């Protein structure tokens, strides 16, 4: 791609497509978080003590569970759009990134989103059958709970779990490869590249639950990066040059700011203050003290207004009131 497209054309495309890609990243995070919040709020009033309670909970909240899975599936599809933009920007600067990474990401996202909805529908079907069976033939609490556990770990639910894991491997591997190469090309910082790799791993193995919250943080950060609103000195030089230039570290940014004189605010309490104003002439005559001469030796306007020579002012330090008292005593 880098040989077929001129750098100016590539940078112009990135400027045009950056806004839609940022919108996809923001919307993906919003839909994912919205699905999590919607499901938690709708199901927060129900208490689940065992798998039997969980089956009745699923039986009563079909719409909530389906809506949550649809929102999560849409979030995954928009994730693929945001990462596809990252792929093209990285591929232009780093030819080592193979096109298979894009197909793994986009294709994996499509089938993975479908698997999320399919698994939720399978869960609803299994739990409905279990509730119908337990309602028609009540069992002891332990026997009913064992039956619920068997239904959740065998049959179509177990098959859907394996399918989702296999599809997650494709999607996660694509995200990992693109994030790794984007970090090496300078499109992502070292921190953002590592977080992208973690997101790809969590899509395959959700150690902290599904969906991973760190994914939404990464998507919001990608949106800011695509809009060139990256804090702390802006995004890396590879974005403006169209070439693979490593993202500068924090120490390098501080050194560059120090060498250029930027980013060094004056300490508090030591700001440069204007020189003190000289006292007015009437106060000098009253106190008998002359104003201090300016440091540069230049005369001010007050010297032109005062016609009294400097020696006479210095030789007459007496207070005006003393002259009046002497005149009265002579009379």
């Amino acid at each position: 791609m880098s040989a077929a497209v001129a750098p100016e054309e590539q940078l112009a495309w990135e400027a045009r497509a950056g806004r839609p890609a940022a919108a996809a990243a923001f919307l993906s995070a919003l839909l994912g978080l919205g699905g999590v919040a919607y499901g938690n709020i709708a199901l927060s009033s129900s208490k689940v003590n065992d798998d039997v309670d969980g089956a009745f909970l699923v039986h009563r909240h079909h719409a909530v569970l389906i809506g949550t899975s649809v929102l999560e599936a849409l979030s995954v599809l928009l994730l693929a759009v945001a990462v596809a933009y990252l792929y093209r920007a990285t591929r232009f600067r780093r030819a080592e990134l193979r096109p298979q990474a894009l197909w793994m990401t986009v294709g994996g996202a499509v089938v993975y989103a479908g698997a999320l909805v399919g698994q939720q529908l399978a869960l609803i079907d299994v739990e409905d059958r279990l509730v119908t069976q337990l309602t028609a033939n009540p069992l002891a609490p332990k026997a009913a709970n064992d039956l619920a556990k068997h239904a959740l770990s065998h049959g179509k639910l177990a098959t859907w779990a394996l399918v989702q894991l296999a599809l997650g491997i494709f999607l996660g591997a694509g995200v990992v490869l693109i994030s790794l190469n984007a970090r090496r090309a300078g499109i992502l910082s070292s921190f953002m590249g590592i977080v992208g790799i973690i997101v790809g791993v969590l899509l395959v193995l959700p150690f902290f639950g599904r969906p991973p919250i760190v994914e939404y943080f990464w998507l919001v950060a990608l949106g800011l990066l695509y809009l060139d609103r990256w804090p702390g000195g802006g995004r890396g030089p590879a974005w403006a040059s169209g070439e693979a230039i490593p993202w500068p570290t924090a120490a390098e940014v501080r050194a560059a700011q120090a060498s250029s004189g930027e980013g060094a605010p004056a300490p508090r309490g030591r700001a440069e203050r204007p020189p003190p104003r000289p006292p007015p002439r009437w106060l000098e005559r009253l106190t008998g003290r002359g104003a201090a001469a300016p440091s540069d030796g230049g005369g001010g306007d007050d010297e032109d207004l005062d016609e009294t020579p400097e020696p006479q002012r210095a030789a007459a330090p007496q207070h005006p009131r003393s002259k009046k008292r002497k005149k009265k005593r002579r009379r």
Side-chain angles (χ1 to χ4, degrees), residues 13 46 70 79 134 170 186 206 220 330:
W13 176 86
S46 302
V70 169
L79 165 70
L134 292 178
F170 283 95
V220 172
R330 292 177 182 177

Side-chain angles (χ1 to χ4, degrees), residues 133-329:
Q133 180 179 353
L134 292 178
T135 302
N137 301 304
L139 299 176
K142 186 177 183 308
N145 194 46
D146 292 341
L147 180 62
K149 287 183 178 180
H150 184 272
L152 293 175
S153 58
H154 295 77
K156 63 173 64 177
L157 282 181
T159 302
W160 272 109
L162 293 176
V163 170
Q164 189 176 12
L165 177 62
L167 298 177
I169 292 176
F170 283 95
L171 175 59
V175 174
V176 168
L177 289 175
I178 295 174
S179 299
L180 178 62
N181 284 271
R183 177 174 175 265
R184 292 176 176 175
I187 292 298
L188 294 181
S189 65
S190 179
F191 173 74
M192 282 290 293
I194 293 174
V195 174
I197 294 173
I198 294 174
V199 169
V201 173
L202 291 180
L203 288 171
V204 181
L205 302 173
F207 297 106
F208 304 102
R210 189 181 303 277
I213 301 300
V214 67
E215 172 189 337
Y216 306 139
F217 163 79
W218 188 64
L219 285 169
V220 172
L222 280 183
L224 295 176
L225 183 66
Y226 294 166
L227 294 176
D228 197 6
R229 296 294 187 269
W230 192 254
R235 53 190 184 181
W239 285 94
S241 65
E243 300 177 357
I245 302 176
W247 190 294
T249 63
E252 293 173 348
V253 172
R254 289 193 298 267
Q257 291 177 348
S259 61
S260 61
E262 299 177 355
R268 295 183 178 179
R270 297 185 180 180
E272 184 178 355
R273 299 180 180 178
R277 298 179 59 184
R281 292 303 179 185
W282 64 267
L283 183 59
E284 294 180 11
R285 295 173 181 175
L286 183 64
T287 59
R289 298 177 181 177
S295 58
D296 57 354
D301 296 338
D302 292 339
E303 295 181 0
D304 298 336
L305 296 176
D306 190 5
E307 298 179 356
T308 305
E310 184 66 23
Q312 295 182 8
R313 292 205 313 265
Q318 297 180 358
H319 199 281
R321 293 183 181 180
S322 60
K323 297 181 180 181
K324 294 181 180 180
R325 292 178 181 178
K326 291 180 181 180
K327 290 180 181 181
K328 288 182 180 180
R329 290 178 182 178

Side-chain angles (χ1 to χ4, degrees), residues 21 23-25 27-29 31 73-83 219:
L27 190 57
S28 176
L31 290 177
L74 292 175
S75 176
V76 172
L77 294 176
L78 291 171
L79 165 70
V81 175
V83 177
L219 285 169

